Every structure is written in structure tokens, then in C-alpha cells.
């Protein structure tokens, strides 16, 4: 079991078992959402995820045109979970919300054609999508 939270700790998410996918995304929508050059997220089946605390939702389309719903803390604004049309039945949690440097590394890197040239996803075993 893994627990993640928003920055202020008001909103927590508990994930049972290991994630089915850990990925980084270089799309422009993820860059805007995170304020970084890419995002990192882990996904679990919806049935293995529990949110605890108050949250608000924001829905938007990503670079692919698929819509996603982001759940975030209304106090500190941290995104704690999101779900999208691209992977129905799955909940994604930003890896940073776990505040765990030993969290497993990503195995998938998407939208690499939008990757900032000064970034690199390390590892020969990373599946790369353009």
C-alpha cells in the first residue's frame, strides 16, 4: 500500500498494490499542469484507490484531444489524482505526491517529440512513444 498527499496534507490518496504503469509525459498540457518540463505519474485500477479529504475537479483535454479529470486540493492546489479517457478505469497519481525518493522508476515515456532537449529519461528499459 502507498499513500500520497497534497502539499498541505488535507487530501490523501491510498493506493493498494503496485502500480500497473509508471510513466513520464512530455506533452504541453502536462508541462502546463505541473509547471515543469514533464510530468511523472503512476497508475492503479480505480478499485485500488481511495481519496480521503476535500477535493475539487478540473476537466481538460490533453494534447491527444482525450479529456481528463484532475482532482486537486482546494486549499493548496496540488493535483493528487487524475483519470482520463485514454486509460479508462485507471487512476493516475503524480509520483511527487508520494514524497518517496525510493519510488520505482518510470518504464514508459510519452510525447517525446515535445521533450525539452535538455531533459533525459534514464534507462534502456524505458518504452518511448512519440
Amino acid at each position: 500500500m502507498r499513500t500520497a498527499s497534497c502539499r498541505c496534507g488535507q487530501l490523501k490518496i491510498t493506493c493498494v498494490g503496485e502500480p500497473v504503469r509508471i510513466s513520464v509525459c512530455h506533452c504541453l498540457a502536462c508541462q502546463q499542469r505541473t509547471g515543469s518540463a514533464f510530468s511523472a505519474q503512476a497508475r492503479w485500477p480505480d478499485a485500488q484507490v481511495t481519496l480521503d479529504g476535500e477535493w475539487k475537479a478540473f476537466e481538460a483535454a490533453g494534447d491527444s484531444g482525450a479529456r481528463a479529470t484532475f482532482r486537486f486540493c482546494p486549499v493548496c492546489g496540488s493535483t493528487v489524482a487524475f483519470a482520463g479517457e485514454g486509460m479508462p478505469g485507471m487512476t493516475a497519481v503524480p509520483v511527487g505526491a508520494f514524497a518517496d525518493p525510493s519510488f520505482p522508476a518510470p518504464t514508459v515515456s510519452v510525447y517525446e517529440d515535445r521533450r525539452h532537449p535538455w531533459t533525459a529519461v534514464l534507462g534502456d528499459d524505458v518504452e518511448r512513444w512519440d
Side-chain angles (χ1 to χ4, degrees):
M1 182 167 51
R2 295 180 187 273
T3 302
S5 71
C6 64
R7 178 71 173 103
C8 73
Q10 182 277 137
L11 179 59
K12 293 180 175 44
I13 187 165
T14 302
C15 306
V16 177
E18 292 301 311
V20 297
R21 175 174 151 165
I22 304 169
S23 61
V24 293
C25 182
H26 304 276
C27 82
L28 301 177
C30 280
Q31 290 179 33
Q32 287 179 313
R33 177 178 59 81
T34 63
S36 183
F38 58 90
S39 66
Q41 51 279 323
R43 294 183 186 339
W44 280 265
D46 292 343
Q48 293 176 229
V49 174
T50 304
L51 274 170
D52 182 32
E54 184 182 344
W55 52 272
K56 292 202 178 242
F58 172 72
E59 186 176 312
D63 286 20
S64 69
R67 300 207 59 84
T69 301
F70 301 89
R71 293 182 182 98
F72 63 95
C73 175
V75 177
C76 68
S78 301
T79 300
V80 174
F82 58 96
E85 294 173 339
M87 292 189 80
M90 302 296 286
T91 297
V93 180
V95 169
F98 292 100
D100 176 3
S102 68
F103 198 88
T107 57
V108 176
S109 179
V110 298
Y111 280 98
E112 288 219 332
D113 57 330
R114 293 191 172 114
R115 182 179 61 79
H116 289 237
W118 49 265
T119 64
V121 177
L122 304 176
D124 293 332
D125 57 346
V126 174
E127 182 180 339
R128 300 170 191 280
W129 300 1
D130 286 328

